[in-house]
Amino acid sequence: MKRIGVFVCWCGTNIANTVNIEAVTEAAGKMPGVVYAGNYKYMCSEIGQSKIKSAIIREKLDRFVVASCSPRMHESTFRKTAAAAGLNPYLVEIANIREHCSWVHKNKGEATAKAIALIRAAVAKAARDKELWATQIPVEHRALVIGGGIGGIQAALDIADAGFEVDLVERTPSIGGHMAQLDKTFPTLDCSACILTPKMGEAASHPKITLYTYSEVEKVDGYVGNFEATIRKKARSVDLEKCTGCGICWEKCPSRVKSEFDEALSMRKAIYIPFPQAVPNVPVIDRASCRWFTREKCGICRKTCPAGAVNFDQEDEVLQKKYGAIVVATGFDVLDLDDFGEYSYGKHPDVLTSLEFERILNSSGPTGGRLLRPSNQSPPKNVVFIQCVGSRDKSRGKPYCSKICCMYSAKHVILFKEKYPEAQAYVFYIDIRTAGKDFEEFHRRAVEEYGALYLKGSAGKVFPDGDKLLVKGVDSLSGHALEIEADMVVLATAIKAKSDAPQLARLLGISTDTHAFFMEAHPKLRPVEAHTAGIFLAGACQGPKDIPETVSQASGAAAKAIVLLSKENLLSDPCVSEVNESLCTGCLACIKVCPYSAITEKTIEEKIHGKALQRRVAEVNVALCQGCGSCTVSCRPGAVNLKGFTNEQIMAEVDAICL
Amino acid sequence: MSVNLKQGPFEPLIIAFCCNWCSYAGGDLAGTGRMTYPANVRVIRVPCSSCVSSNFILRAFQRGADGVVVAGCHPGDCHYTSGNYFARRRFLLLQRFLEFLGMEPERFQVHWISASEGNRFAAVMTETTEKIRALGPNRKLRDTR
């Protein structure tokens, strides 16, 4: 017979006011298997816990129930109490008679009856509790960082500085990400390249960091502490070891293609580095536009390369690597403006997105830093900035605020006015959101010092008018319809999740929100962890963010990864599924419902009537299993059970509650 | 067996299976916020709505529950990524099965309640209790021995 103890907590007056503690204790004492029932004012206090411990020893309890607050609150506390008294910590059950009873009911009679029923269920479950032991999983002390923007670079540097090896995988030919495209950064007007390139160099030269640029993660298997990733190093057609980055090849290359880095505002060659400070400073051949690969002619780069680094026969390389932790920092895309025809974007060269405008401002950009109208290379006199293009727009764009546009538009205004003090900047806005250190001051500078005209309202239409652009809008404060003759129009285009974020989420087994941003484990308390253990999030792949936020999240994600990597072994939660092989028929219906691919088939050998027979059964990988219990329902012969929540236990709870 | 042990007016017994991550936490929040709902509801904590077997629900009805609620995370928000989708499919079938058995399908309800929806938890439990009270006792599936 089991020897169960029940400890009823008053929680001061929180429970005692609505639940008759004495009646509950008396009823609990009569429940099957219960050999001791007691109560105390604060069961979670030192004294309360020592009362439990001494009762365990005195009454020879082999398991116990605490009737108190939610198990989400103090289950771990009482498990430690059990362990301290020499009991297996999983022989403890909690009856939630506070949040689910005393706090939500007013009638003392009803609340007392319900408390007794809840305790009866907990006792029935406890009677069927078994000792559970956490298993140890070894940890691979290496990290994978996906995405080489500022978030990925920061995370990689932090993890590497802690002494762990990091592989930094970047899809494009160079690390740097969107930050490399920017001219200045708000609110300090630091030159973006000046603060980014040292970090890029540091990442490249760090002895613990291996860069895989022009590479993609193709597959991720495994689980926390033991991931196995397949990385495809796309053929660069240039030998990374031999190339000196002299640049003769791309000077000589005759093929010209629109530059992705310059947002298609300039041309690059078929053999190219995306931008002058690229890391590694080794070109790639874009085979789709290279004459050698398309027509088997030319080959001038190979002929002229003084180091003999160009190699047309190079093939993709596929690597298998093991990691203990993964940081995802894949960044964002800018919304397509196909549905926003009213702004004449794509129809008139002087209508630009903010990112394109950023390239035009940049001294390494298509105009060498001279701010000129793309249509006729003349200096602009009036520039209209339109905010929230696609942001806060449920019908055509995204319902959320892209967060950075108010600030970078203020920056654009300031940079524009610095170049042309006589010119006029107009900003159409819905609201100005400048929450952040020195942000509001920066915005006020744009208004007061630089005289930008901020107009609350919407710009409804932009259309060409002679060699100018006519912007029609409404100032909603005065109610006046406005017509502004502009030389350039800059659209603060919404930030969106990377278009292939859902694919990456599937590959990693993490979840995305309705806008395809990666989901954090908890919006408040676990903002840098993904739901899947061992995977961490940094930067705008989790939601719109500015640079300081991205960097701090990256350092946070790195710290979390370091905590994981610095352990020799991980303790797994023992509440996972287990298969009773003698009942398993090998139908494998469980495999289909497992969200973690934690169940595999295996063949076992059995001796039946002296004959050795082979049979297929399901096997649970305890390191992968997260304990949802979905498989238990799908199991036809009832061979699968979730430890800590067995079918028998839940059934016993049902019976006890219905009594 | 109903809550007030066969005396006085009918008081339904309602069993609510709540997933640990969303709905149980939503129930906790209802408590923290001191939102009241009828004491007829008794919660059984489970890791995920996908681990609630139809067997448990039928067992509850046989043992005298007048209504059963399964509550899980909102679609798309499952702590285990896709558990609530399996639950949704299974329970759509179960609801039709109960109807086929001759039971009012409203006695079995599935709701999505997030950890931040304490008020919704209280509202769902109150509405369900009233609905079941109006339906009267479960006689169809009760074990009458």
Side-chain angles (χ1 to χ4, degrees):
Chain A
M1 194 61 193
K2 305 283 189 289
R3 296 188 63 84
I4 306 173
V6 178
F7 301 90
V8 185
C9 180
W10 303 23
C11 195
T13 56
N14 281 307
I15 295 172
N17 264 5
T18 15
V19 171
N20 183 338
I21 300 283
E22 283 310 322
V24 167
T25 313
E26 200 193 321
K30 291 177 190 152
M31 289 175 193
V34 175
V35 293
Y36 172 81
N39 60 65
Y40 181 65
K41 211 165 189 177
Y42 293 105
M43 224 69 224
C44 59
S45 68
E46 281 288 315
I47 304 172
Q49 291 189 58
S50 65
K51 277 178 184 293
I52 296 178
K53 282 184 236 171
S54 52
I56 291 172
I57 294 157
R58 190 181 64 240
E59 307 287 339
K60 298 190 181 64
L61 302 179
D62 62 2
R63 60 201 63 221
F64 65 89
V65 170
V66 186
S68 59
C69 52
S70 171
R72 296 169 56 87
M73 187 79 116
H74 275 312
E75 190 174 56
S76 58
T77 312
F78 294 117
R79 283 193 168 155
K80 284 180 198 137
T81 315
L87 276 185
N88 182 287
Y90 293 91
L91 298 174
V92 176
E93 291 298 331
I94 309 289
N96 182 353
I97 60 166
R98 191 179 76 174
E99 281 86 343
H100 283 202
C101 188
S102 72
W103 274 353
V104 286
H105 308 313
K106 291 205 172 108
N107 181 310
K108 200 162 180 171
E110 284 175 12
T112 306
K114 176 168 170 179
I116 293 171
L118 293 177
I119 293 171
R120 203 163 45 227
V123 167
K125 188 174 180 223
R128 290 155 180 88
D129 272 341
K130 294 210 168 66
E131 290 192 345
L132 300 177
W133 307 99
T135 42
Q136 298 215 324
I137 320 168
V139 176
E140 185 73 37
H141 302 286
R142 307 177 72 252
L144 168 65
V145 177
I146 308 174
I150 183 60
I153 292 172
Q154 183 65 45
L157 284 172
D158 286 350
I159 298 171
D161 281 344
F164 299 104
E165 280 181 30
V166 182
D167 288 351
L168 178 55
V169 177
E170 164 61 39
R171 175 190 283 174
T172 67
S174 168
I175 57 170
H178 280 299
M179 188 174 169
Q181 290 181 288
L182 308 182
D183 182 42
K184 301 281 193 305
T185 55
F186 62 77
T188 49
L189 296 182
D190 282 311
C191 151
S192 186
C194 315
I195 53 178
L196 175 66
T197 45
K199 289 242 173 219
M200 290 162 61
E202 207 186 320
S205 60
H206 200 294
K208 294 276 184 190
I209 299 180
T210 312
L211 290 188
Y212 292 104
T213 50
Y214 208 49
S215 303
E216 288 192 56
V217 177
E218 278 195 335
K219 196 170 169 225
V220 176
D221 284 324
Y223 45 89
V224 56
N226 294 274
F227 293 107
E228 192 168 336
T230 310
I231 299 166
R232 177 175 291 272
K233 276 178 79 179
K234 290 178 277 185
R236 243 187 146 88
S237 315
V238 177
D239 194 321
L240 268 168
E241 306 296 320
K242 290 187 189 158
C243 175
T244 59
C246 68
I248 292 176
C249 55
W250 66 79
E251 269 169 34
K252 300 282 184 197
C253 175
S255 305
R256 288 163 63 82
V257 195
K258 279 185 176 168
S259 158
E260 297 86 359
F261 185 80
D262 272 340
E263 297 291 317
L265 293 169
S266 72
M267 304 300 271
R268 63 162 170 84
K269 299 297 181 63
I271 183 165
Y272 71 107
I273 56 168
F275 55 102
Q277 306 94 328
V279 171
N281 186 24
V282 174
V284 298
I285 295 181
D286 164 12
R287 291 188 174 183
S289 42
C290 168
R291 295 185 189 196
W292 178 266
F293 286 99
T294 51
R295 282 175 266 169
E296 294 214 5
K297 282 178 189 162
C298 188
I300 192 155
C301 48
R302 187 166 65 178
K303 278 177 223 150
T304 53
C305 177
V310 176
N311 176 5
F312 293 143
D313 303 324
Q314 205 179 54
E315 284 177 9
D316 288 5
E317 207 179 321
V318 179
L319 306 169
Q320 297 275 350
K321 295 264 184 177
K322 293 192 104 182
Y323 303 100
I326 300 176
V327 177
V328 186
T330 47
F332 63 93
D333 275 339
V334 172
L335 190 72
D336 283 334
L337 291 177
D338 297 348
D339 290 342
F340 296 81
E342 72 268 32
Y343 298 123
S344 296
Y345 176 77
K347 288 179 218 134
H348 197 286
D350 292 340
V351 182
L352 300 167
T353 68
S354 297
L355 202 52
E356 290 165 354
F357 190 68
E358 197 79 45
R359 288 312 300 152
I360 289 181
L361 289 171
N362 194 295
S363 56
S364 67
T367 55
R370 284 168 307 139
L371 175 50
L372 300 172
R373 299 177 62 190
S375 60
N376 60 9
Q377 307 300 313
S378 67
K381 291 192 193 69
N382 290 331
V383 176
V384 173
F385 296 87
I386 303 174
Q387 301 285 284
C388 297
V389 175
S391 304
R392 306 176 69 192
D393 180 346
K394 257 189 206 164
S395 51
R396 289 184 300 169
K398 304 289 178 186
Y400 53 80
C401 165
S402 290
K403 204 169 184 181
I404 57 171
C405 322
C406 287
M407 287 307 293
Y408 72 58
S409 292
K411 174 187 78 178
H412 286 164
V413 163
I414 291 175
L415 294 177
F416 162 58
K417 291 282 288 184
E418 285 276 350
K419 289 187 201 279
Y420 302 108
E422 303 303 315
Q424 183 61 53
Y426 301 89
V427 184
F428 279 98
Y429 69 98
I430 306 179
D431 296 295
I432 292 295
R433 296 179 168 178
T434 56
K437 192 174 173 181
D438 293 332
F439 282 14
E440 175 64 15
E441 294 90 324
F442 186 77
H443 162 68
R444 292 314 305 169
R445 267 178 72 198
V447 180
E448 285 155 17
E449 212 174 297
Y450 292 90
L453 213 55
Y454 272 74
L455 303 160
K456 188 174 173 76
S458 58
K461 197 149 178 64
V462 177
F463 49 88
D465 183 30
D467 72 333
K468 302 263 181 186
L469 290 158
L470 203 60
V471 181
K472 283 193 171 187
V474 179
D475 176 3
S476 65
L477 293 180
S478 69
H480 290 309
L482 298 171
E483 267 193 21
I484 300 168
E485 212 180 58
D487 299 302
M488 288 171 84
V489 172
V490 181
L491 308 174
T493 317
I495 278 182
K496 64 166 186 151
K498 276 265 179 229
S499 50
D500 55 358
Q503 284 93 295
L504 183 63
R506 258 196 301 281
L507 196 138
L508 292 167
I510 59 178
S511 40
T512 54
D513 65 15
T514 44
H515 310 296
F517 288 114
F518 298 133
M519 277 256 282
E520 61 282 4
H522 188 283
K524 308 276 183 303
L525 302 177
R526 293 171 70 195
V528 304
E529 296 156 77
H531 267 308
T532 305
I535 300 184
F536 307 96
L537 307 174
C541 63
Q542 183 252 347
K545 272 183 200 68
D546 61 14
I547 295 166
E549 278 184 309
T550 296
V551 172
S552 28
Q553 200 189 8
S555 286
K560 287 278 179 191
I562 292 165
V563 169
L564 171 59
L565 295 175
S566 53
K567 289 181 180 156
E568 277 309 312
N569 288 298
L570 292 175
L571 281 183
S572 67
D573 184 351
C575 294
V576 293
S577 287
E578 75 182 331
V579 179
N580 182 339
E581 285 176 2
S582 63
L583 292 177
C584 179
T585 57
C587 72
L588 305 180
C590 48
I591 291 184
K592 294 193 191 98
V593 299
C594 179
Y596 302 99
S597 310
I599 307 179
T600 46
E601 61 169 287
K602 75 165 178 186
T603 309
I604 54 166
E605 203 160 282
E606 282 179 334
K607 275 214 163 131
I608 297 171
H609 305 306
K611 263 170 74 181
L613 284 175
Q614 288 202 330
R615 193 159 74 83
R616 184 176 74 166
V617 294
E619 185 182 33
V620 177
N621 181 334
V622 293
L624 279 178
C625 177
Q626 302 281 314
C628 68
S630 198
C631 50
T632 63
V633 181
S634 72
C635 181
R636 289 163 196 165
V640 189
N641 251 312
L642 180 61
K643 289 193 239 175
F645 289 92
T646 61
N647 288 337
E648 189 199 351
Q649 285 183 304
I650 299 176
M651 201 74 101
E653 281 186 273
V654 171
D655 283 2
I657 275 192
C658 292
L659 202 64
Chain B
M1 204 153 299
S2 301
V3 166
N4 61 350
L5 303 168
K6 295 177 191 159
Q7 285 152 21
F10 167 64
E11 281 296 335
L13 171 62
I14 289 149
I15 309 291
F17 293 94
C18 294
C19 86
N20 181 47
W21 307 100
C22 288
S23 307
Y24 194 90
D28 281 357
L29 189 64
T32 318
R34 309 295 198 276
M35 299 155 190
T36 56
Y37 56 86
N40 307 54
V41 180
R42 273 107 207 245
V43 173
I44 292 178
R45 182 168 73 122
V46 289
C48 178
S49 51
S50 73
C51 91
V52 180
S53 161
S54 300
N55 204 2
F56 304 154
I57 294 155
L58 293 172
R59 175 76 161 203
F61 281 127
Q62 290 201 312
R63 289 277 152 170
D66 302 296
V68 174
V69 177
V70 173
C73 310
H74 283 274
D77 288 348
C78 177
H79 180 79
Y80 302 105
T81 324
S82 55
N84 53 3
Y85 292 136
F86 288 117
R88 185 165 65 181
R89 271 175 254 164
R90 284 173 190 149
F91 294 143
L92 273 171
L93 286 175
L94 179 65
Q95 225 149 13
R96 296 194 50 192
F97 174 66
L98 289 174
E99 204 173 357
F100 165 76
L101 285 181
M103 184 184 227
E104 302 89 337
E106 304 91 301
R107 288 193 189 274
F108 170 55
Q109 301 196 7
V110 182
H111 291 279
W112 313 121
I113 303 170
S114 82
S116 58
E117 293 177 323
N119 47 2
R120 186 171 146 76
F121 185 93
V124 163
M125 296 311 164
T126 309
E127 274 169 35
T128 306
T129 309
E130 293 321 314
K131 217 175 268 176
I132 306 295
R133 199 195 302 279
L135 283 176
N138 148 36
R139 299 188 201 282
K140 187 78 198 177
L141 282 189
R142 184 189 297 262
D143 187 342
T144 49
R145 284 172 295 173

